[in-house]
Amino acid sequence: MMLRIKRVPTVVSNYQKDDAEDGGCGRNCLRSCCLYKAKLPLYTFKVENIDSEKAPPACEDDNPSVDFLNSVVLAEWEDRMQRGLFRYDVTACETKVIPGKHGFIAQLNEGRHLKKRPTEFRVDKVLQPFDENKFNFTKVGQEEILFQFEPSKTNVAQYFPSAPVNAESLQSVLAINVSPIEYGHVLLIPQILERLPQMIDSESFLVALYMAVEAGNPYFRVGYNSLGAFATINHLHFQAYYLELPFPIERAPSKKIATTTNGVTISDILNYPVRCLVYEGGNSLKDLSNAVSYSCICLQENNIPFNVLIADSGKRIFLIPQCYAEKQALGEVSSELLDTQVNPAVWEISGHMVLKRKEDYEGATEEKAWRLLAEVSLSEERLQEVKELIFATICNETEPKAVANPTIATSTHDNVDFLPSPRAKMVPV
């Protein structure tokens, strides 16, 4: 039996349609038909541990380094706002901190809810093949692209207002989300022309982590939703936005449970409605990135939906397995929660509740937020099984490869007994 839920897909681009259209022509898109002689802004970021002796020297007349977050991301985002590319003014949405010790944040965002027919989404398969006939980010207009985002070849972060687009080597791009949740809401689309499905790989995750580091501001977070965890577009992308408030998940206490041989500490999050893990430290940024990305790949292979929050300018990364869509498909979520039409993806799970109805916003309480998020969480027993799968993967210290037809993880220990000890190459705390 296939598990499906009905929900309204978020419109992230002005070129997104219910029915697929032939791409290309006349729409200034990101396909080969429109990329010929195209130019887009380019931001090159400094890569950790680059061999400066092998890097070509930066010329004196090269563009100087700039403030990535304020002068590039947010400035370009505001430019698109002035040009009327967004579906509504998110800065006019009401926002408040819900009274209580956890500080959940509520936003009333009626513009994000579309008056259109809900679409069925399959929620029992985290890995699904890319479908060219459905909307993907190569169909967006070039005016929605803020800039190309690539590693620097000179070991210097630089911004170029106009740079040629090479269709053969175009890497990552940053685009606006035309249905923003918050100020500065953008989409990072790694290796956009490769048409990768929504699944984590180590190279793409490192790019997302570099973006958080480059921003250098704890109020600019990067998030990821897997299929089955409220991603609705099966084309690899991360999200990010700026909100000058602490997220409740960031304030939750944690308990260290293990440290990898590369110095990455893994901890349980305590006293929070959603059980999850947080990763930090490591001998290098790549060590931290690999520990998280390998864990994500493990969850993908075992068909476990999950969300990721990159916080504290890339210093802490929350990995959140979840089961809300599964419960919803099985009819195990109360009508009271379903009526709110809240889809608990990474931002909601982190404590930023995006509400579509004024009555829910006005009546928001800490108890209601906690009750919704508690439905997202795996049981303590199931999370323990997930941790054992993750630890065994990390111990192998090589990147796992996604399989075409991953098996569904069960809620028993049958699939765990044959795994190597999760502590084999880890230092207990």
Side-chain angles (χ1 to χ4, degrees), residues 163-385:
V165 176
N166 187 335
E168 301 298 323
S169 60
L170 179 62
Q171 298 184 31
S172 304
V173 300
L174 214 67
I176 59 170
N177 184 332
V178 301
S179 299
I181 286 177
E182 255 301 341
Y183 176 71
H185 193 169
V186 294
L187 304 169
L188 172 67
I189 309 155
Q191 304 174 67
I192 183 169
L193 297 185
E194 294 297 322
R195 294 169 170 79
L196 302 173
Q198 184 72 344
M199 55 179 284
I200 294 288
D201 64 83
S202 60
E203 181 180 350
S204 298
F205 191 84
L206 183 59
V207 172
L209 187 53
Y210 269 120
M211 184 172 75
V213 172
E214 201 72 16
N217 190 311
Y219 296 123
F220 185 78
R221 290 98 168 176
V222 180
Y224 175 87
N225 303 314
S226 79
L227 297 180
F230 296 100
T232 59
I233 296 174
N234 189 22
H235 189 177
L236 180 59
H237 65 286
F238 297 80
Q239 303 183 47
Y241 61 73
Y242 182 87
L243 179 60
E244 200 169 327
L245 285 170
F247 279 179
I249 197 171
E250 297 169 341
R251 301 169 60 187
S254 61
K255 179 182 178 181
K256 294 180 182 179
I257 54 177
T259 302
T260 70
T261 53
N262 290 326
V264 177
T265 297
I266 305 173
S267 304
D268 280 323
I269 292 298
L270 307 176
N271 302 331
Y272 198 71
V274 186
R275 297 179 180 90
C276 57
L277 302 174
V278 61
Y279 296 64
E280 53 194 321
N283 297 332
S284 69
L285 193 67
K286 189 171 183 179
D287 288 335
L288 177 59
S289 179
N290 284 346
V292 179
S293 62
Y294 293 1
S295 299
C296 293
I297 294 169
C298 170
L299 296 185
Q300 292 168 172
E301 289 181 335
N302 286 277
N303 207 34
I304 301 169
F306 64 93
N307 310 91
V308 178
L309 177 72
I310 303 177
D312 293 346
S313 304
K315 296 182 180 68
R316 290 200 299 164
I317 304 173
F318 296 83
L319 177 58
I320 313 157
Q322 70 143 295
C323 59
Y324 188 88
E326 177 187 348
K327 287 182 178 179
Q328 185 177 347
L330 293 172
E332 297 176 359
V333 179
S334 71
S335 59
E336 178 186 2
L337 294 180
L338 292 176
D339 287 345
T340 66
Q341 303 172 56
V342 173
N343 302 307
V346 60
W347 308 120
E348 289 78 11
I349 292 172
S350 301
H352 187 199
M353 315 301 293
V354 181
L355 305 173
K356 303 179 178 71
R357 302 188 307 179
K358 194 172 186 65
E359 61 191 89
D360 295 321
Y361 179 79
E362 293 178 342
T365 65
E366 184 170 88
E367 180 184 0
K368 290 179 180 178
W370 189 282
R371 187 161 66 246
L372 169 66
L373 295 184
E375 291 293 328
V376 176
S377 182
L378 302 187
S379 67
E380 190 171 341
E381 179 184 35
R382 190 175 179 191
L383 181 64
Q384 181 58 38
E385 295 167 4

